[in-house]
Amino acid sequence: MRVVVLLLLILSSTLSRANENAEQIFADMAPALYQIRIIDKATGEKSGIGSGFQIGENGYIATNYHVISGYAQHPEKYIIEFEDHEGKTGQLNLQTVDVINDLAIVLHEDNPQPLHFIVSEQTPQKGEQLYSLGNPHDLGMIVVPGTYNGLKKEAFNDRIHFTGSVNPGMSGGPVVNAAGDVVGVNVATSGNQIGFLIPHGKLAQLINQFDVQVEKTISEQITEQLEANQSKLITSILATPWESKSFAKASIPQTGVDFIRCWGNSNADRPDDLLFQAITQCQMEESVYISDSFSTGKVSMEFHYFEGDDISTWRFYQNYKASITQAAADNQAGKEDVTEFECQHDITSNSNNKLTNKSIMCVRAYKKYKGLYDIMFLAASVDQTNQALVSHFTLAGVNQTLAQSFTKRFMEASQWN
Amino acid sequence: MELIIEEISRANKLIGRHKYQGDSLQIGRGYQNDLILSDPHVCAEHLQLRFDNEEQQWYVKDLQTLNGSVNGSGKPMVQEQKLNSGDVIRVGKSLLKFLSPTHPVAHSVKFSRMEHFVEFSGQWWVILGLIAAYTLISAFFNYISIDVREISYSKLFMDSLLESLVIPIWALIFAFIAFINKHEARLRSQIGVTFIIVSLFWVADFFEALFGFNTSDAISVEWLIFAMAVVLTFILLWFNFYIALHQKPARRFKFAAGLTALVYGGVLLISAGDEPEFNPYPEYNAQIMTPGFLLSSGETSEAYVNRSDELFTKAKEAANKKRDD
């Protein structure tokens, strides 16, 4: 009994200490916290909200790129506004962005107050108590305690796994440790107390490069970042030879990188289906957000195996053909972002003659971010009478050289056993 | 003297042909006339014809009628005038053509191969054979497209039969055109010929599939296939008109070509109108056939990817062009 009381006492004391800490930090730092609003010029109404925090005496404020992306894409349509803890509002100027890590720095030019957050130099310990600050759903600034759970597994771009509620509107708000130093920036949620943060290192990087970056236009900055990101991404996928993985009566490639995850399914449980079909889908579960209608920086592959031993070859092919006519890009993009697809097709054989395909390759170019392309490739086997293999990939936002290297590697990677 | 009078409709159709013996002839609505017309715009005594034995010449005179008569040169007849063989005179709404027995006629037309083909296609056993063949081919294609295990064969057969029975509707339209033009309808020939030519579209489809499957985008046969469809449509319409109407070759050509242009012009216009302003989906050739039809040995991956340089260039140019706009 006594033990229980003691435990309760200890528990309540840690809890109250945590709350005290949170209250203290919040009270101290409130002037350096802002709600960031994107205002539609035509109507004068909010078209998006997020949070931001001051990172320098001179009025520099950090937030998420996705909070201010409307302005970054259409500066003629919107303005960026802040509201501080006293309810005062003012206009902000976009300075620099990092679309890969979803960060942006805006400037409060007009007589800013000097209080600002310090970016931590240390990475938190697993299990460490952190406090997420922000303005969820436009309800007012709040503080949410949670725990640091290390970096998200199998991610290409690092994200902190934070156990605590990060809600819409808190995006761009700081996450601080007990000392009040910034260790991350709110960015996303998976619901149910799972939140994701941008590690403080990414913010430090953006601050360090600020002087160079600020000289360039936003479009130039984004182009460079996408170019560098795709180069790192595709190079890492092509860095090691791909291993071969058995897939029904064929072999398909296994890239060996952990950020591309595969899922499988088949219709073996539906014997009434005319063709037996097995699917393996491998894709990155993250992409680079540019605007609501445009995302990029994604790699995905898909393999379909078809078999129909008990039907005529004619019938098999007629049904199999229907499954290869609808391939499309994996990323969203609109008319202002990309051109229409240009396609080529031919019968191809891989070098050991173990697979003959009808190969289709389609390419579309980015309009603002020059030198980057989306690729859609599909190869449908045409050399077996009653079995078929479809190998398909899409790349979003890659340059020509890497896209072609990837395609060559991919075309040689599938074959019949 | 003998005189032949042809009653002609305003659409240039022969209504009746009469032959007269004598030196004078009266035409009108009254029952005392030699040629009695029923047109209400014609007077009881309308035209007076007489043969001058000295001059060996027919003369014609309008009998001061209410609506008058119009001679061959399109002018109202005011006084007696010469009537030559082949002259057409309008009385009321009727046209009368006057011919002498020695008036020359066109050469006789030999039964052409075309005519033999048309006659052949119109036989019952040929038509039944064509319907059966067409139904079976449709049934085969419908059968291989079915994606479920349980097949209702009676439904499959009925659907295919109905599909093939759509074709006689086309033939029926032309038979009807012939009918309203007071020609022989020749429905069976229309049906037979239409079946044969429509079947040729299948041959075109087959070649389209075969080429689309085996060739790369570097060799585009799309225009050839399109041209083939246009030519087949033209041939079909040419035969339809040939069977339905007795037209001069040049006129028939104009009719068939005009209608073909109308059909494909419409098709192109509709497809151009349907094209979205921006298509986010790739449009590619996904034609595949069974391995038996694979004639191409296949490009190497290396060559295929190197060839894609052109795609990137094209996409880049499109991106630059849009930025300049």
Side-chain angles (χ1 to χ4, degrees):
Chain A
M1 184 62 187
R2 214 185 288 167
V3 179
V4 175
V5 171
L6 199 65
L7 267 176
L8 275 174
L9 272 176
I10 292 167
L11 208 62
S12 68
S13 75
T14 38
L15 270 178
S16 67
R17 182 133 42 86
N19 286 338
E20 241 173 64
N21 239 334
E23 273 165 32
Q24 195 57 45
I25 291 164
F26 189 60
D28 289 350
M29 299 308 291
L33 280 171
Y34 300 91
Q35 184 187 47
I36 309 287
R37 300 161 166 181
I38 298 298
I39 308 288
D40 177 58
K41 272 190 200 170
T43 60
E45 296 290 340
K46 282 179 274 198
S47 87
I49 53 163
S51 304
F53 56 102
Q54 198 160 328
I55 49 170
E57 285 174 15
N58 302 331
Y60 288 106
I61 297 172
T63 184
N64 281 144
Y65 166 77
H66 79 252
V67 171
I68 54 87
S69 66
Y71 176 84
Q73 293 297 316
H74 296 284
E76 71 288 348
K77 189 181 172 204
Y78 301 104
I79 52 172
I80 313 176
E81 232 182 51
F82 70 85
E83 187 192 65
D84 67 11
H85 70 299
E86 289 169 330
K88 281 191 290 190
T89 60
Q91 203 170 324
L92 296 169
N93 272 324
L94 181 60
Q95 301 292 307
T96 178
V97 299
D98 176 356
V99 290
I100 308 304
N101 293 302
D102 201 354
L103 288 172
I105 295 178
V106 289
L107 178 60
H108 173 202
E109 278 169 311
D110 189 22
N111 202 7
Q113 59 80 32
L115 182 71
H116 62 88
F117 283 86
I118 306 289
V119 177
S120 168
E121 283 174 3
Q122 268 157 23
T123 307
Q125 301 290 316
K126 231 179 190 178
E128 189 177 324
Q129 182 90 7
L130 302 178
Y131 308 95
S132 168
L133 304 165
N135 188 344
H137 301 289
D138 207 9
L139 295 170
M141 278 295 168
I142 60 155
V143 54
V144 178
T147 16
Y148 176 85
N149 275 301
L151 294 176
K152 187 178 167 189
K153 266 170 57 185
E154 296 162 348
F156 178 65
N157 285 306
D158 293 342
R159 295 289 181 268
I160 293 169
H161 177 186
F162 173 76
T163 309
S165 302
V166 175
N167 283 302
M170 292 176 75
S171 286
V175 178
V176 296
N177 57 19
D181 293 343
V182 177
V183 293
V185 180
N186 296 326
V187 68
T189 174
S190 276
N192 285 338
Q193 298 280 322
I194 297 175
F196 295 107
L197 317 174
I198 297 151
H200 65 278
K202 306 290 183 188
L203 179 59
Q205 218 174 348
L206 186 63
I207 295 169
N208 288 339
Q209 293 168 353
F210 184 82
D211 292 340
V212 185
Q213 291 295 312
V214 83
E215 297 296 321
K216 300 170 191 159
T217 65
I218 298 297
S219 202
E220 282 166 356
Q221 294 178 29
I222 297 178
T223 307
E224 280 175 19
Q225 289 157 9
L226 291 178
E227 170 68 39
N229 184 59
Q230 63 90 29
S231 172
K232 188 177 120 191
L233 174 66
I234 306 296
T235 311
S236 74
I237 296 172
L238 296 179
T240 50
W242 291 351
E243 277 174 28
S244 205
K245 178 168 75 175
S246 165
F247 175 60
K249 288 179 183 160
S251 302
I252 57 169
Q254 204 169 19
T255 56
V257 291
D258 60 359
F259 53 83
I260 294 182
R261 296 216 279 172
C262 297
W263 302 86
N265 202 352
S266 82
N267 63 353
D269 54 340
R270 291 199 299 274
D272 281 346
D273 287 3
L274 192 62
L275 302 187
F276 167 74
Q277 185 177 0
I279 306 174
T280 291
Q281 276 177 305
C282 302
Q283 57 185 345
M284 285 173 74
E285 280 161 11
E286 58 198 294
S287 62
V288 177
Y289 173 96
I290 302 291
S291 76
D292 281 343
S293 58
F294 188 25
S295 64
T296 180
K298 208 174 169 189
V299 174
S300 57
M301 301 182 196
E302 216 171 288
F303 302 90
H304 293 242
Y305 172 79
F306 297 92
E307 195 177 289
D309 282 335
D310 52 348
I311 58 172
S312 70
T313 305
W314 281 77
R315 202 171 165 203
F316 175 80
Y317 266 81
Q318 191 70 13
N319 279 282
Y320 156 51
K321 188 168 105 179
S323 68
I324 62 163
T325 55
Q326 303 278 339
D330 197 32
N331 61 324
Q332 232 193 340
K335 192 188 173 203
E336 61 171 287
D337 311 310
V338 292
T339 65
E340 291 190 353
F341 275 108
E342 297 282 346
C343 297
Q344 71 172 40
H345 64 88
D346 201 358
I347 301 291
T348 61
S349 291
N350 63 5
S351 47
N352 56 13
N353 264 325
K354 276 191 167 171
L355 183 63
T356 301
N357 282 325
K358 167 103 181 188
S359 296
I360 295 149
M361 182 179 185
C362 298
V363 172
R364 67 181 178 193
Y366 285 15
K367 287 181 178 171
K368 271 196 220 161
Y369 314 121
K370 278 195 163 184
L372 296 174
Y373 302 87
D374 286 342
I375 319 296
M376 195 291 295
F377 177 88
L378 184 146
S381 77
V382 289
D383 52 355
Q384 302 289 318
T385 52
N386 285 49
Q387 66 189 47
L389 177 70
V390 175
S391 320
H392 166 62
F393 74 76
T394 57
L395 301 177
V398 294
N399 69 24
Q400 182 178 346
T401 318
L402 289 171
Q404 288 181 323
S405 307
F406 186 96
T407 310
K408 271 182 205 169
R409 171 86 67 97
F410 187 87
M411 285 178 79
E412 291 294 325
S414 301
Q415 60 178 52
W416 293 115
N417 285 338
Chain B
M1 195 57 204
E2 270 186 327
L3 183 67
I4 293 107
I5 305 177
E6 288 182 350
E7 280 183 79
I8 301 164
S9 78
R10 285 202 292 175
N12 240 340
K13 286 264 132 310
L14 184 69
I15 299 167
R17 189 180 271 149
H18 315 276
K19 199 169 195 177
Y20 295 94
Q21 192 79 45
D23 287 347
S24 74
L25 192 66
Q26 192 145 323
I27 298 169
R29 199 150 45 83
Y31 298 114
Q32 73 279 25
N33 289 294
D34 300 304
L35 175 59
I36 305 163
L37 300 173
S38 52
D39 183 345
H41 305 288
V42 171
C43 287
E45 293 178 344
H46 202 111
L47 280 184
Q48 171 78 57
L49 278 74
R50 78 178 168 82
F51 186 70
D52 190 314
N53 268 313
E54 279 170 34
E55 287 180 52
Q56 288 291 305
Q57 170 72 46
W58 280 95
Y59 281 89
V60 61
K61 187 170 76 178
D62 178 79
L63 298 172
Q64 301 193 334
T65 53
L66 183 64
N67 295 313
S69 307
V70 179
N71 66 15
S73 39
K75 291 183 187 124
M77 237 190 290
V78 283
Q79 58 194 49
E80 190 176 56
Q81 61 171 71
K82 280 185 183 177
L83 181 67
N84 297 316
S85 178
D87 278 0
V88 177
I89 291 176
R90 199 171 84 210
V91 292
K93 280 187 171 180
S94 319
L95 293 171
L96 299 174
K97 189 174 188 178
F98 298 89
L99 300 155
S100 77
T102 53
H103 197 87
V105 292
H107 292 293
S108 30
V109 181
K110 194 174 180 284
F111 270 120
S112 62
R113 276 204 203 150
M114 217 74 89
E115 193 55 42
H116 283 301
F117 166 67
V118 168
E119 283 297 317
F120 168 81
S121 322
Q123 297 170 86
W124 279 117
W125 64 270
V126 175
I127 293 177
L128 287 178
L130 284 167
I131 292 178
Y134 201 96
T135 306
L136 284 178
I137 296 172
S138 296
F140 173 72
F141 281 112
N142 289 340
Y143 165 75
I144 62 170
S145 303
I146 293 176
D147 60 357
V148 289
R149 283 195 182 276
E150 274 174 37
I151 299 177
S152 156
Y153 286 98
S154 63
K155 186 174 182 300
L156 180 75
F157 179 75
M158 282 313 291
D159 286 353
S160 308
L161 187 64
L162 283 177
E163 257 172 59
S164 68
L165 291 182
V166 169
I167 288 167
I169 293 176
W170 177 269
L172 211 57
I173 294 171
F174 282 89
F176 187 66
I177 290 173
F179 175 75
I180 57 174
N181 281 290
K182 301 229 159 45
H183 283 296
E184 196 190 343
R186 300 179 82 185
L187 180 60
R188 282 186 295 158
S189 292
Q190 287 283 14
I191 293 175
V193 168
T194 306
F195 258 114
I196 291 172
I197 298 174
V198 168
S199 304
L200 291 179
F201 277 95
W202 263 333
V203 179
D205 284 352
F206 170 75
F207 280 107
E208 180 179 12
L210 190 69
F211 280 114
F213 177 45
N214 281 291
T215 58
S216 83
D217 51 290
I219 308 155
S220 175
V221 288
E222 236 167 72
W223 64 270
L224 191 73
I225 301 296
F226 184 74
M228 210 143 107
V230 172
V231 168
L232 280 176
T233 309
F234 171 78
I235 292 174
L236 175 64
L237 287 166
W238 192 93
F239 268 102
N240 289 143
F241 282 120
Y242 175 86
I243 299 167
L245 305 170
H246 300 153
Q247 295 168 304
K248 293 211 176 78
R251 192 175 165 80
R252 180 158 52 235
F253 182 89
K254 268 190 231 162
F255 265 57
L259 212 54
T260 308
L262 204 70
V263 168
Y264 283 93
V267 167
L268 288 178
L269 215 65
I270 289 169
S271 68
D274 275 352
E275 206 132 291
E277 199 196 357
F278 172 76
N279 185 0
Y281 300 102
E283 276 189 20
Y284 53 85
N285 165 320
Q287 181 64 52
I288 53 170
M289 293 172 94
T290 57
F293 291 101
L294 182 63
L295 309 172
S296 161
S297 58
E299 215 175 352
T300 63
S301 307
E302 182 87 16
Y304 180 85
V305 173
N306 291 343
R307 207 157 60 78
S308 72
D309 283 350
E310 207 182 312
L311 285 187
F312 286 92
T313 310
K314 269 198 246 168
K316 191 159 65 185
E317 277 166 9
N320 289 340
K321 200 176 123 226
K322 297 283 163 55
R323 280 159 66 97
D324 294 340
D325 286 349

